[in-house]
Amino acid sequence: MKLYYWLVLIPFIGMLGGAVLFNQVTPYVFGLPFLLFWILLWIILSSLTMLVIYQLDKANGLLDREENES
Amino acid sequence: MNIALLIMLGFLLLSLYLGLMARRGKDMSMEQWAVGGRGFGTIFVFLLLAGEIYTTSTFLGTSGWSYSKGGPAFYILCTSSLSYLMGYWLLPPIWKYAKEHKLVSQSDFFATKYKSKGLGVLVAIVGVLALLPYLILQFKGLGIIVSQASYGSISPTLAIVISVIAITIYVSVSGIHGSAWTAVMKDILIFGIVVFLGIYLPVHYYGGIQPMFEAVNEAKPDFLLVPDTGMSFSWFISTTLLTVIGFSMWPHTFAAYFSAKSTNVFKKNTIIMPLYTLMLPFVLIVGFTAILQVPGLTGSDGDLALLKISIQTFDPWMVGLIGAAGLLTGIVPGSLLLMAASTAIAKNIYKVMFPETTDQKLSKVAKTIVPILAIVCMFYAIFNSSTIMTLLLMGYNFVTQLFPALLASLSKSRFFTKQGAAAGMIVGVSMVVYITLTGLSVADLFPGLPQAIQELNIGFIAVFLNAVAMLIVSFFTSKRDVPVNSPGLQKEA
């Protein structure tokens, strides 16, 4: 259990906690109501969070060896 | 037959052809038929999983919800992106264990982990119970698509019957390989269609996405937000978390995990998959655009929003393409669902009852169950008037009940027992059945509790009671004085 695994909580808190705080239509961002924009932003950030965790795992040699992965 | 139906028929035949091609030259043992011989890489597993997420519930259900419920529909975005994250840690141990023990189904996994055939049967029953509403909603969606695209010349009932026959043939012919290849075609088609509709429709009717939202916001103030009562944040967050934990529990998803080549497949997928959900806002936008353009769809007719506005806007050939995309979103996941349910019944219920059944016979039994299940679900789809999303959430309420026992089985602790796991599942599932049959909410059961608790998703409460029951029963059945790995514990097998 690595300490940086706790990073995974950030998307949950950011997306859901943020939604409670920013439950509003304005300002529109990219034409979207703010609440919708906020959630979409966190979809991208959750993907980035996992990328960070994956890279940290890779750096620590915690990934399984690839078996002829296509 | 109009041009729309012809195009859809063309895609249906193409998907059958791909299924047949995928099968050629492969020996179809049970393992081959169900998990593709565990040889799929990142892309294939990705597509298989995507195939399950982009079902008719996404295509019609999501647009139906943004049309009729507004802001609360955003939960679908939260849940479909957050669902993948846990898989990074949850799936590799499941996959490794399944590979080591040559498991092909979810029920095998529990039965082997807890060393209890009875528990395996229980898990299979819970799984099938959860798959039924999911399967019913695919049929329902297919019925809507086919009958709408026929411009009324095919009745919804007949449309459901046709779809069920198509799926049954498809599954019997191809198994999982068919699903994967068709998934490729489906994803390309649906991605193109959904992005096009989500941009074209608001531009066509309002001159842009923001003007469309402004018009909706003016006509229905607060519709684009999560409301203070009813489907409030209490409901929103509990439903999101419930579906996040239920997501990895689906018997058919489990089967798809087993088809991966290595555990890195899952880890990479957790990075890519959330991005895949970026397609969903386009579907939501279609529903929002339809609100003022095709008004008056109430109740389960909200599921018609996407097709109604398409028919009003486009020529029949375009409706045919949209219908074909919709058709594939029903057939690909529908075939996986049917296969998972029939494999579970054959291998984890039938085989336990008749242990001397040979593998060949079993494979036949599984293939016989396919049409029987399809017909049962067909009747439900015809006579049940729930919306697609309601059926989806019902399935989630059931399937999530497997989560506490799964988590316990992955922990190193020997505290949790098969009796505890069984008790938890029975408590959770009974509660969901009771709630589903009586239509009660938390507010009816516990009128004295604060509003925030009353508006929690009922499945959330059920899974909580499930975990409590598992803890209590495990406490009384756990042989805590026996040292770990002693012969006494091994004998339980």
Side-chain angles (χ1 to χ4, degrees):
Chain A
M1 181 68 194
K2 293 281 167 192
L3 209 56
Y4 59 77
Y5 284 170
W6 290 103
L7 286 173
V8 74
L9 289 181
I10 294 173
F12 282 88
I13 296 165
M15 187 183 283
L16 297 174
V20 178
L21 288 177
F22 301 116
N23 189 21
Q24 56 199 54
V25 175
T26 52
Y28 286 88
V29 185
F30 303 122
L32 303 172
F34 195 79
L35 177 62
L36 181 55
F37 160 75
W38 180 261
I39 293 172
L40 293 181
L41 176 71
W42 275 96
I43 292 180
I44 297 167
L45 291 178
S46 64
S47 181
L48 286 177
T49 309
M50 296 317 289
L51 182 65
V52 169
I53 293 176
Y54 183 84
Q55 291 301 338
L56 285 171
D57 264 358
K58 200 172 183 181
N60 285 300
L62 288 175
L63 298 179
D64 283 348
R65 198 169 295 161
E66 306 267 323
E67 298 162 24
N68 322 314
E69 173 90 47
S70 57
Chain B
M1 184 175 271
N2 64 39
I3 181 85
L5 281 179
L6 270 177
I7 292 175
M8 286 163 60
L9 184 69
F11 273 94
L12 179 66
L13 293 178
L14 184 60
S15 65
L16 275 174
Y17 174 75
L18 287 176
L20 273 171
M21 291 306 289
R23 181 195 185 176
R24 184 169 292 175
K26 297 242 162 53
D27 139 50
M28 297 289 269
S29 70
M30 193 84 174
E31 193 168 351
Q32 189 61 248
W33 190 62
V35 298
R38 261 177 265 272
F40 293 155
T42 309
I43 307 274
F44 246 49
V45 174
F46 169 76
L47 287 169
L48 270 174
L49 289 177
E52 274 140 57
I53 293 126
Y54 297 104
T55 73
T56 36
S57 61
T58 324
F59 202 55
L60 302 183
T62 303
S63 53
W65 258 40
S66 63
Y67 177 91
S68 53
K69 306 245 192 272
F74 295 158
Y75 105 85
I76 301 165
L77 290 172
C78 297
T79 202
S80 20
S81 54
L82 295 176
S83 290
Y84 302 109
L85 308 191
M86 232 173 33
Y88 192 92
W89 296 275
L90 196 61
L91 303 188
I94 294 177
W95 180 86
K96 277 183 188 158
Y97 191 82
K99 192 186 177 194
E100 247 167 61
H101 295 82
K102 286 192 182 291
L103 307 177
V104 295
S105 74
Q106 180 182 46
S107 151
D108 296 341
F109 182 86
F110 280 87
T112 318
K113 268 279 185 192
Y114 282 95
K115 301 191 176 66
S116 158
K117 285 189 174 154
L119 190 69
V121 172
L122 184 61
V123 168
I125 293 171
V126 176
V128 172
L129 217 52
L131 286 172
L132 291 180
Y134 206 177
L135 201 49
I136 291 165
L137 79 85
Q138 309 298 341
F139 290 166
K140 222 181 165 73
L142 283 168
I144 291 174
I145 291 163
V146 173
S147 97
Q148 287 289 320
S150 75
Y151 292 83
S153 67
I154 296 179
S155 73
T157 306
L158 181 61
I160 291 176
V161 175
I162 296 173
S163 319
V164 169
I165 294 172
I167 286 201
T168 312
I169 296 175
Y170 183 73
V171 175
S172 314
V173 161
S174 60
I176 207 169
H177 278 286
S179 305
W181 280 116
T182 318
V184 177
M185 178 169 77
K186 178 204 76 157
D187 286 351
I188 294 168
L189 190 62
I190 191 126
F191 191 83
I193 296 275
V194 159
V195 172
F196 170 74
L197 289 180
I199 293 170
Y200 181 84
L201 289 175
V203 170
H204 178 73
Y205 285 106
Y206 297 94
I209 290 175
Q210 183 165 343
M212 180 276 289
F213 275 121
E214 280 166 350
V216 171
N217 191 38
E218 197 166 308
K220 301 177 121 187
D222 292 343
F223 188 69
L224 301 170
L225 300 176
V226 176
D228 291 333
T229 55
M231 287 178 155
S232 63
F233 271 112
S234 187
W235 175 88
F236 190 94
I237 294 176
S238 63
T239 306
T240 301
L241 295 179
L242 179 86
T243 34
V244 163
I245 60 176
F247 178 78
S248 312
M249 295 302 109
W250 287 99
H252 61 292
T253 323
F254 241 76
Y257 300 150
F258 296 168
S259 65
K261 240 182 220 171
S262 79
T263 59
N264 291 352
V265 169
F266 305 120
K267 297 191 172 174
K268 281 186 201 157
N269 269 340
T270 55
I271 303 166
I272 318 166
M273 293 301 275
L275 295 178
Y276 213 61
T277 54
L278 288 175
M279 193 176 86
L280 287 175
F282 293 101
V283 190
L284 289 167
I285 287 173
V286 174
F288 284 124
T289 310
I291 291 172
L292 300 174
Q293 299 308 321
V294 282
L297 303 174
T298 52
S300 65
D301 280 350
D303 292 336
L304 303 175
L306 184 142
L307 290 164
K308 285 272 189 212
I309 194 170
S310 302
I311 289 171
Q312 180 180 309
T313 316
F314 299 109
D315 289 339
W317 65 267
M318 185 62 198
V319 173
L321 271 184
I322 296 167
L327 196 75
L328 295 178
T329 61
I331 286 188
V332 177
S335 65
L336 270 168
L337 294 167
L338 245 188
M339 215 169 55
S342 42
T343 318
I345 295 175
K347 191 151 190 297
N348 307 112
I349 301 175
Y350 185 90
K351 171 93 178 172
V352 176
M353 282 159 60
F354 307 99
E356 67 281 2
T357 317
T358 62
D359 278 2
Q360 271 171 325
K361 175 88 198 301
L362 205 61
S363 190
K364 259 190 203 134
V365 171
K367 285 173 187 173
T368 318
I369 295 170
V370 168
I372 299 176
L373 263 186
I375 289 168
V376 170
C377 292
M378 182 180 84
F379 280 105
Y380 267 96
I382 292 170
F383 294 112
N384 187 303
S385 65
S386 310
T387 67
I388 286 177
M389 289 309 284
T390 311
L391 285 166
L392 181 68
L393 283 172
M394 191 198 295
Y396 266 107
N397 284 346
F398 278 118
V399 85
T400 311
Q401 305 309 323
L402 298 175
F403 185 73
L406 177 90
L407 208 58
S409 84
L410 293 178
S411 79
K412 291 198 176 72
S413 144
R414 286 197 170 249
F415 170 76
F416 297 101
T417 62
K418 57 183 177 184
Q419 292 90 342
M425 283 177 206
I426 290 168
V427 166
V429 167
S430 311
M431 175 140 178
V432 175
V433 169
Y434 179 72
I435 298 294
T436 307
L437 292 180
T438 56
L440 291 176
S441 68
V442 185
D444 301 319
L445 291 173
F446 311 104
L449 291 175
Q451 189 207 347
I453 297 179
Q454 289 189 352
E455 286 168 355
L456 285 175
N457 185 308
I458 197 82
F460 199 71
I461 309 271
V463 84
F464 174 74
L465 294 178
N466 172 334
V468 170
M470 185 175 76
L471 274 170
I472 294 172
V473 175
S474 291
F475 179 78
F476 285 110
T477 49
S478 189
K479 298 173 184 163
R480 273 157 302 135
D481 1 275
V482 184
V484 174
N485 291 331
S486 78
L489 269 172
Q490 303 293 329
K491 248 186 236 160
E492 271 181 59

